[in-house]
Amino acid sequence: MEFYREVLGGKLEIHTIADFGSPDSPHADKVMHAQLDTPYGHTLIACDADGQVERDHLDDQHRLMWPR
């Protein structure tokens, strides 16, 4: 996400699993939610997936695909 911020600009927020109240989790340093709001009006979101999520879709134009 930091790469995309460098390329596209905008405001980046990154929150880890520890930030959401699980500092003792073995995955505490993994990203629970990252969001980049670009100056062009686009929003990119991401998280560290553990392979359990197959896919999630936002709408017909924006789709997030996770590896199976």
Side-chain angles (χ1 to χ4, degrees), residues 3-48:
F3 168 78
Y4 291 113
R5 179 184 57 192
E6 288 179 24
V7 172
L8 301 171
K11 180 182 176 190
L12 175 61
E13 293 185 29
I14 298 176
H15 302 283
T16 65
I17 290 174
D19 295 334
F20 279 89
S22 297
D24 297 328
S25 167
H27 306 290
D29 63 333
K30 299 292 184 187
V31 175
M32 177 74 122
H33 177 78
Q35 181 170 330
L36 174 63
D37 294 313
T38 73
Y40 309 104
H42 300 288
T43 299
L44 298 161
I45 58 173
C47 69
D48 286 328

